[in-house]
């Protein structure tokens, strides 16, 4: 790999008008040298000037989609497990029926029950997602219950702050006059 990068670097630098131009992995390296561009490059074996180009081992990339909320993800994982077990069960029932085993009839019955449970679990993912969206304000309609909940929380916080302020005012007035409390 080092010989390929040396050949690419030599070919790019020794070609007439493009002699000073860097290509490929070297495109982000500026004239100040490889240490100026910390995120680009790799060890190319050029030890002449004492500089090494290193590529970072792990580069974070921005997520294209946000992560699913915890309850929705939990329901989805549960649904995938149930559906996969149901498929395995149905396949086993099929093979038992082909082999004319006595186990075929109970396996078919349990596969039917498993199919019902798997359908319920997939619907549960959809319902959980809808409930989470409605409760946590993703639905931005004026009549959204999430807005109403936020309004109630703000009102409760305002009331709590007003209560603590009034208690502090009472204490500070009482202490300033030198009154004793009734204890």
């Amino acid at each position: 790999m080092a010989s390929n990068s040396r050949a690419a670097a030599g070919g790019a630098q020794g070609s007439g008008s493009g002699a000073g131009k860097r290509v490929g992995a070297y495109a982000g390296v500026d004239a100040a040298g490889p240490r100026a561009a910390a995120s680009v490059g790799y060890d190319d074996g050029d030890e002449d000037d004492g500089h090494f180009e290193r590529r970072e081992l792990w580069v974070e990339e921005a997520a294209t989609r946000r992560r699913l909320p915890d309850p929705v993800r939990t329901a989805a994982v549960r649904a995938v497990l149930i559906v996969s077990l149901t498929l395995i069960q149905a396949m086993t029932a099929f093979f038992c029926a082909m082999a004319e085993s006595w186990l075929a009839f109970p396996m078919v019955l349990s596969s039917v029950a498993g199919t019902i449970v798997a359908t319920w679990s997939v619907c549960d993912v959809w319902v959980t997602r809808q409930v989470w969206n409605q409760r946590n304000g993703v639905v931005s309609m004026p009549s959204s219950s999430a807005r109403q909940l936020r309004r109630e929380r703000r009102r409760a916080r305002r009331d709590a702050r007003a209560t603590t302020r009034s208690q502090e005012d009472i204490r500070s007035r009482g202490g300033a006059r030198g009154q004793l409390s009734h204890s």
Side-chain angles (χ1 to χ4, degrees):
M1 183 168 168
S3 64
N4 289 344
S5 63
R6 265 192 237 134
Q13 290 176 352
S15 61
S17 64
K21 188 176 181 181
R22 295 185 184 248
V23 291
Y26 297 101
V29 180
D30 61 355
R35 290 188 184 175
S39 63
V40 178
Y42 46 86
D43 184 7
D44 65 342
D46 268 343
E47 297 182 28
D48 302 342
D49 56 356
H51 293 128
F52 289 102
E53 294 184 27
R54 301 246 182 235
R55 178 175 33 191
E56 291 182 14
L57 182 63
W58 187 266
V59 178
E60 294 271 337
E61 292 181 6
T64 55
R65 293 177 54 172
R66 283 191 303 190
R67 196 174 137 158
L68 279 175
D70 285 339
V72 179
R73 190 170 52 250
T74 303
V77 168
R78 184 174 45 237
V80 165
L81 290 174
I82 291 172
V83 167
S84 63
L85 288 175
T86 302
L87 287 173
I88 290 170
Q89 195 172 21
M91 193 173 56
T92 306
F94 173 75
F95 287 135
C96 286
M98 290 293 111
E100 297 178 1
S101 171
W102 64 270
L103 199 57
F105 183 68
M107 287 300 289
V108 168
L109 288 181
S110 64
S111 293
V112 170
T115 303
I116 293 168
V117 172
T119 305
W120 168 83
S121 68
V122 170
C123 289
D124 180 51
V125 174
W126 181 70
V127 169
T128 305
R129 182 175 162 268
Q130 294 299 325
V131 167
W132 192 91
N133 284 345
Q134 190 172 16
R135 285 186 182 163
N136 294 289
V138 175
V139 179
S140 62
M141 296 169 51
S143 62
S144 171
S145 62
R147 284 190 181 190
Q148 184 179 358
L149 287 172
R150 280 198 304 265
R151 219 176 283 130
E152 291 170 2
R153 282 189 217 126
R154 279 196 300 264
R155 188 176 300 129
R157 280 194 301 256
R158 253 193 320 262
D159 292 343
R161 280 195 303 262
T163 307
T164 56
R165 256 190 240 120
S166 64
Q167 292 293 329
E168 289 173 4
D169 289 343
I170 292 170
R171 287 187 192 130
S172 66
R173 278 190 242 140
R177 293 183 189 162
Q179 295 176 347
L180 298 174
S181 63
H182 301 286
S183 44

